[in-house]
């Protein structure tokens, strides 16, 4: 796969860091044993052929969203561009929230986006929970070296003795315990001799540090919970801030890229890895953490918790609802991997946060699909048009064959065939009984061209008892059929799309629009559900041209004049046509 090239790459500060490290040979002598492991394990292996190692470390507690796509494109993209390898690591150290469904969906999403964690025939797919043994061993090593202690203060005491931004912390009465006492107590924690929450293992750093994260952060807590991978082996689990740097180091990661909220954790990341390297437990040179601003996209929320609420409360139909900013949702909506990669690339990578306009995704989609998508005609709001002189001019029951290119700029892709007869379907808004100023489409007395067909002249319309227009009448203008000699002699200002009543096919079309009307639905802690767009989904019964009858799930089309549509990957097929609107043709708030 080729990562999309774009000049915004120059603005990616992480490239500068990697290029600096490559130039300095920072990681050139690093060994990698082929699998994750401690210092001894890697020392026995060869010099790492991968020039850099990055990782994408999702927690398997939900579906990935557009923000994760940014992180995937960044980590896999940098590895690709610099002769490196990117690992996919499930950060499953939290025993309670993880499920196989999410693991499967994440694997699927990363592959679909066009990335692979297999390099040189080796699968770099890892589970952080496989490192529990090492993490425990590192815990004991920290204790023995006097760098960690078991604290048995109550949660409340621990909170207040930590101090805050203005107040220095104070030492726990348990801080002075000897390594031997701590070791015995830590083993009791592990062996289930203490109740949940009765003690924690803490790093012994500095209770007066200006960085609160260095005031003896917790490393292990007691929690009796069954883990999906390790079962009931453990009743103590490592804290994320302890586990993550160790995971990186065991895997030989060079550049550990995360979002800005971890910036304040970096000093602890450095302290922990330096300490464990000095104890000879972890290989050097060790990984370094770099932070960038998370991707925020307008009109969506990107928090698994909030997305889960939308699913659980039935506000959307599921994690893959085409309105969801999940990768599964974007895929079902019809966005392509290339469009998502391009959008993420253009959003740039910087330290300064900001919002990326949702429209940039649609722009990227149009760029990707313009040359790829087959064209088709569809009438989304059908109104019957009767050509009153058809039988007289063409003969009763005659169907006149018409055709159109599959793609207007790619003649080699052939032509679509469809027929015109006495009755055709047109868009309801392509007719006005009393035309507004500047309206060039159908109104009594006006001529338009039926695209790829004939010029017609409107003669009137019929209404039902409620005054609703149920039929429009027009007369065919002879010798005006597209592609025949002299067809252009009759000039018209309007061209409208249509589908023949005889060969048109019924289809369900789902018109999707923004899920939230607010640009920043959850900014400043606002209730994002307050700005749900009541018109985010409109389902219409459309009539589409016959070429679409054989379309397959996931096939993408440009419906002429309407936008880009995809055959729904779940509901389309078996005699049922279902299309989702991915994006309109231009940036208007969809009608
Ligand atoms: P959420 O808050 O939605 O649960 P998370 O950060 O907790 O997201 P993880 O599974 O831990 O979810 O994330 C995996 C990786 O994706 C992390 O490295 C994280 O920094 C990154 N990531 C998550 N959201 C974004 C975002 N909006 N922009 C860029 N990277 C992101
Ligand atoms: Mg997280």
């Amino acid at each position: 796969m080729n990562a999309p090239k774009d000049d915004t790459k120059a603005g990616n500060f992480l490239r500068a860091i990697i290029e600096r490290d490559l130039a300095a040979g920072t990681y050139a002598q690093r060994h990698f044993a082929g699998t994750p492991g401690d210092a001894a394990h890697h020392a026995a292996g060869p010099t790492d052929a991968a020039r850099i190692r990055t990782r994408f470390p999702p927690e398997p507690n939900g579906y990935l969203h557009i923000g994760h796509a940014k992180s995937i494109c960044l980590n896999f993209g940098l590895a690709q561009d610099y002769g490196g390898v990117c690992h996919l690591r499930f950060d499953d150290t939290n025993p309670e929230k993880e499920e196989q469904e999410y693991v499967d969906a994440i694997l699927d999403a990363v592959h679909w986006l066009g990335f692979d964690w297999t390099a040189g025939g080796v699968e770099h797919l890892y589970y952080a929970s496989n490192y529990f043994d090492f993490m425990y061993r590192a815990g004991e090593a920290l204790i023995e070296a006097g760098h960690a202690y078991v604290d048995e203060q109550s949660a409340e005491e621990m909170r207040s003795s930590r101090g805050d931004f203005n107040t220095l912390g104070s030492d726990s009465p348990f801080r002075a315990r000897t390594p031997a006492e701590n070791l015995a107590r830590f083993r009791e924690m592990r062996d289930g001799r203490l109740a949940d929450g009765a003690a924690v293992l803490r790093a012994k750093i500095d209770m007066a540090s200006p960085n609160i994260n260095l005031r003896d952060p917790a490393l292990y807590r007691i929690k009796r919970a069954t883990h999906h991978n390790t079962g009931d082996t453990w009743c103590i689990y490592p804290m994320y801030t302890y586990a993550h740097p160790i995971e990186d180091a065991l895997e030989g990661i060079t550049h550990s890229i995360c979002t800005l909220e971890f910036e304040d954790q970096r000093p602890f990341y450095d302290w922990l890895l330096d300490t464990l390297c000095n104890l000879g437990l972890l290989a050097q040179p060790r990984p370094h953490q770099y932070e960038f601003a998370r991707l925020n996209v307008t009109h969506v929320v990107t928090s698994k918790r909030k997305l889960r609420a939308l699913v659980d409360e039935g506000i959307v139909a599921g994690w893959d609802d085409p309105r969801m900013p999940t990768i599964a949702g974007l895929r079902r909506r019809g966005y392509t991997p290339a469009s998502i990669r391009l959008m993420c690339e253009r959003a740039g990578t910087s330290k300064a946060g900001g919002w990326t306009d949702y429209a940039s995704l649609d722009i990227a989609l149009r760029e990707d699909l313009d040359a790829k998508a087959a064209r088709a005609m569809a009438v989304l709001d059908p109104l019957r048009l009767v050509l009153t002189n058809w039988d007289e001019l063409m003969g009763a029951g005659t169907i006149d064959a018409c055709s159109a290119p599959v793609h207007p700029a790619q003649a080699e892709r052939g032509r679509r065939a469809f027929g015109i007869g006495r009755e055709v379907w047109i868009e309801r808004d392509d007719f006005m009984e009393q035309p507004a100023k500047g309206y060039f489409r159908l109104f009594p007395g006006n001529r338009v061209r039926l695209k790829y067909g004939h010029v017609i002249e409107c003669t009137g319309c019929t209404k039902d008892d409620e005054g609703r227009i149920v039929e429009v009448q027009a007369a065919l203008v002879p010798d005006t059929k597209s592609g025949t000699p002299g067809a252009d002699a009759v000039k018209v200002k309007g061209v409208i799309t249509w589908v023949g009543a005889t060969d048109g096919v019924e289809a369900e079309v789902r018109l999707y629009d923004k899920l939230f009307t607010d640009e920043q639905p959850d900014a400043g802690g606002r209730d994002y559900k307050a700005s749900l767009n009541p018109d985010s989904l409109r389902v219409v019964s459309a009539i589409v041209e016959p070429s679409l009858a054989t379309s397959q799930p996931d096939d993408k089309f440009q419906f002429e004049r309407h936008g880009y549509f995809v055959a729904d990957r779940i509901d389309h097929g078996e005699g049922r046509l279902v299309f989702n609107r991915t994006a309109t043709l231009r940036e208007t708030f969809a009608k």
Side-chain angles (χ1 to χ4, degrees), residues 57-59 61 68 91 97 240 261-262 304:
E59 213 181 317
N61 62 351
H68 295 113
D91 215 324
K97 296 180 292 185
Y240 178 86
E261 59 276 21
F262 294 99
K304 277 181 239 161

Side-chain angles (χ1 to χ4, degrees), residues 55-61 64-68 70-71 75 91 240 244 257-259 261-262 292-296 302-305:
R55 85 287 173 267
F56 172 64
E59 213 181 317
N61 62 351
L64 299 183
H65 52 63
I66 185 80
H68 295 113
K70 169 74 205 173
S71 179
N75 281 293
D91 215 324
Y240 178 86
H244 201 89
I257 299 163
C258 62
T259 42
E261 59 276 21
F262 294 99
F292 70 101
R294 56 189 289 125
L295 176 73
N296 292 308
T302 48
S303 140
K304 277 181 239 161
R305 184 176 56 78

Side-chain angles (χ1 to χ4, degrees), residues 471-532:
E471 185 188 291
V472 175
Q473 295 90 30
L476 195 73
V477 180
D479 306 322
T480 56
K481 188 178 175 190
S482 285
T484 61
D488 294 336
V490 178
K491 298 288 177 207
V492 291
K493 282 191 178 166
V495 177
I496 65 174
T497 46
W498 56 279
V499 172
T502 311
D503 63 8
V505 187
E506 281 180 33
E508 175 178 328
V509 175
R510 299 170 179 171
L511 301 171
Y512 291 105
D513 203 347
K514 301 178 170 68
L515 187 51
F516 298 99
T517 52
D518 259 18
E519 280 203 359
Q520 302 178 10
D522 55 354
R526 266 204 304 274
D527 174 16
Y528 58 101
K529 286 180 218 156
S531 79
L532 278 168

Side-chain angles (χ1 to χ4, degrees), residues 375-393:
R375 274 32 175 189
M377 286 203 289
V379 176
L380 303 185
D381 187 6
L383 175 62
R384 184 182 301 277
L385 170 81
V386 176
L387 299 170
T388 49
N389 60 347
W390 182 271
D391 291 358
E392 180 190 326
L393 279 180

